[in-house]
Amino acid sequence: MIKKYNLLALTVTIVLLLSLRAEAQEIDPPIFTFQGTPSLIQKLCIGQNSPNREAIAKANILFATGTEFVLELSDENGVFSNDVTRVLTRFTTPIAIPPGGDIEFPSFTIPTDLRGENYGLRVNVPASSTLSAVQENIPIYYFDFSQIDLDGPNKDANIVVVCNGGSTTLFATPDDFPQYEWTFNGVTIAGETNSTLENVTQTGVYEVIFNIGSCENSTLGDKNQKPIEVINFDTTSITIEQSSPQQFCPSDVKILSTSLKFPEFTYEWFKDGVLIPEFDNHTVTLPESNFAGVYTVTIRTLEGCSISANPVEVINLGSDILTQPPPQIMLLPTQPTLVLSITTNAPVAGSTVEWFRNGISVQGPLAVNTPGALSFDVTNPGVYRVDVFANDACMDTLQATTEVFEPVGFRTQISTLLDCDADTGTLGLENLFGITSSGTEVPITTDQYSLFDFEWFLGSQSTGVTETTFTVNESNIGEVYALEATLRGTTFPTARSNDLTVEFLSDVVVIEASPAFIPFGETSTLSVPESSNYAYEWFIVVDGENQSLVDGSTVISGQGTSSIEIDTIGDYFVRITLLDCVIDSEILSISDVAGSSEIIPNVVTPNSDGINDNWLLPPSLFNQQAVEVTIYNARGQVDFTSSSYQNNWPRENSKSSGQDPFYYYIITKNNSVVRKGSITIMK
């Protein structure tokens, strides 16, 4: 009996092995091909210039017409499973494939995230649940040269700056390679194999090498690194390359340049201590006139570092046109003449002035001391030029050009100037433009304002104020104003300005969190009052230092807006800027434990559903004799005021019955303001 049992078992085993062998051999292991040519070694080193491949497998049985074949790829460890197996391509054969025939997969794109040494490749025939033998241990690396980058905090920069004893972090892109190698001045930094290099303080050249395994000696190997230089503004000095003093004639090409020439930096040039806004590069060319003075330059970086150069004096060996008309000006139909005039310090003896219109001389040349020689009455549009020949050491001819236009219409622009400490502001005419027939906007000069009538409007209602400025205060919060300008004595249409809503920065800005803590694995949203006129910057306080947040790490999204989403506990605040006024919110501590909330809501929904019908204050402010609550409507009128607030506004004690969409509140404790903010009524 025992012998028969062993023989039977042996027979079953042989049949099973033969069955498995026959099934495994129905299709041979597939191989990758490139433009129809199989690779001797199955290894894919893929770049963005040739991302496509084909594949082929030999059939060992007959596959009928209409059979679908699927080419499948394992994960980087050779594992096939429902979770990790991906379909590279599939096709249905239009003809039968006999035993010994080829199963040919046409060209398909290799996924861009493949990076590993041990991928597996197989063919799946879904209709018959047939799987081919597996082509194993295939190295595959996709490497897009155009995406290689190495950055510091300022993206796309070749220079990273540290200062004030601080450090920086370098980031390699792409950031999903199995391993990285970092070098400093050509020497490998031991132990650094991640996509980021933190706490960088030493100055020098850093490089990151992307580990591409078996593809290192391929055509990818000589393109898989990116250098970046780190410099320290604490130990670096800059100079204006031209020595002091520099002497020029007006007609000379007058160039000043810095010793540091990096487009990543911001360059601020100063003449006699005054910023020159149009000079914003490492190399600048001085103008023809009024260039004499003492020049300095300050270089600033996105990391907040700055460094300044020693001053250089520039001397004018010749003369200047000291004052001149603007390069563009409007000739208004109600002004009989427009006077263009200049002043000059050219020597009286031998110096002359000549005026041109559209290149044709219309006045002069006259001696500079001739009455009226330095001005010209314009009655027609055109391009006017004045030439001053200076009889000095340089013997240069100085020029100034002004183009004169006629208007077809006007545009008015107003803006707000705030007194940040007094909660008052001034709405004012910022610019009045004349519009030409070609659409060009030319500023009207302040001397020409007297030819216009001005009138301020609250919505569509005239305020009766006819000046170019209008004073507002907290009682005007929420009101919308505009200024109308009309050229007196003409049929030009009135030019109504942009609308301005009166806004002030509250003395106290409170962050609201929803939820008030971060549940495990979830997030919280922090928000403050929103305005299109506010600029927002969010910070987290770490070890007593304020760190500006960046989307994608602690902050999931929202930096620069009134609301951010966070996933990390900590102390947060937001810096809000309105024009020249800046205020920091109170610091809000976010933990991962639920507790009593000190958040003041900014939205109330009094719709009698029993939920959020009243404005509810936290325990520290509710029913407190020393706490006084005052609520204003958008027109600055008191809607409610009380001490010992009972959390019953607006359902019970609102003068307006809570019918307005917006309200503002001030909360004082022992006569000191502790909270300010806005309330939105939603029904």
Side-chain angles (χ1 to χ4, degrees), residues 491-509:
T491 59
F492 282 102
T494 296
R496 186 179 175 93
S497 73
N498 53 299
D499 289 339
L500 275 184
T501 301
V502 178
E503 292 183 290
F504 291 92
L505 271 181
S506 171
D507 292 337
V508 180
V509 176

Side-chain angles (χ1 to χ4, degrees), residues 355-619:
W355 291 85
F356 298 81
R357 178 178 180 268
N358 297 335
I360 300 174
S361 178
V362 290
Q363 178 176 289
L366 300 172
V368 293
N369 60 346
T370 302
L374 300 180
S375 63
F376 185 77
D377 294 342
V378 172
T379 56
N380 294 292
V383 178
Y384 291 81
R385 189 185 85 236
V386 59
D387 289 0
V388 176
F389 170 73
N391 186 29
D392 53 27
C394 294
M395 304 291 285
D396 282 332
T397 297
L398 311 175
Q399 294 185 339
T401 301
T402 298
E403 187 169 6
V404 178
F405 298 89
E406 288 182 330
V408 297
F410 300 95
R411 183 173 74 85
T412 308
Q413 181 179 356
I414 60 175
S415 62
T416 306
L417 179 66
L418 296 180
D419 184 336
C420 304
D421 297 323
D423 286 338
T424 62
T426 301
L427 310 183
L429 176 62
E430 181 177 10
N431 277 305
L432 178 58
F433 297 98
I435 304 173
T436 70
S437 58
S438 64
T440 301
E441 294 189 344
V442 178
I444 300 299
T445 66
T446 54
D447 291 340
Q448 295 173 316
Y449 285 0
S450 61
L451 302 173
F452 289 81
D453 290 327
F454 297 97
E455 188 172 10
W456 287 92
F457 285 80
L458 172 58
S460 59
Q461 182 177 359
S462 173
T463 65
V465 177
T466 58
E467 307 298 325
T468 56
T469 59
F470 187 84
T471 301
V472 293
N473 55 42
E474 282 193 314
S475 67
N476 303 114
I477 289 176
E479 295 178 343
V480 181
Y481 290 87
L483 175 65
E484 292 188 354
T486 305
L487 183 60
R488 192 181 313 113
T490 68
T491 59
F492 282 102
T494 296
R496 186 179 175 93
S497 73
N498 53 299
D499 289 339
L500 275 184
T501 301
V502 178
E503 292 183 290
F504 291 92
L505 271 181
S506 171
D507 292 337
V508 180
V509 176
V510 179
I511 301 174
E512 299 194 358
S514 179
F517 67 102
I518 300 179
F520 178 75
E522 299 184 23
T523 64
S524 177
T525 298
L526 310 183
S527 60
V528 290
E530 181 181 10
S531 170
S532 59
N533 295 323
Y534 291 172
Y536 302 88
E537 185 177 10
W538 292 85
F539 293 84
I540 186 171
V541 182
V542 179
D543 296 330
E545 294 186 359
N546 302 333
Q547 297 183 5
S548 181
L549 297 171
V550 178
D551 281 357
S553 53
T554 300
V555 175
I556 296 174
S557 63
Q559 175 62 286
T561 69
S562 64
S563 177
I564 63 170
E565 185 180 1
I566 62 172
D567 61 4
T568 304
I569 64 173
D571 296 333
Y572 294 85
F573 74 93
V574 62
R575 179 165 295 157
I576 303 178
T577 302
L578 174 63
L579 302 176
D580 293 327
C581 300
V582 180
I583 189 170
D584 288 349
S585 74
E586 296 181 346
I587 292 177
L588 178 65
S589 297
I590 296 292
S591 72
D592 54 5
V593 179
S596 59
S597 171
E598 289 295 309
I599 295 173
I600 297 179
N602 62 358
V603 176
V604 178
T605 57
N607 50 14
S608 301
D609 62 356
I611 302 174
N612 199 36
D613 288 337
N614 283 335
W615 187 55
L616 306 179
L617 293 183

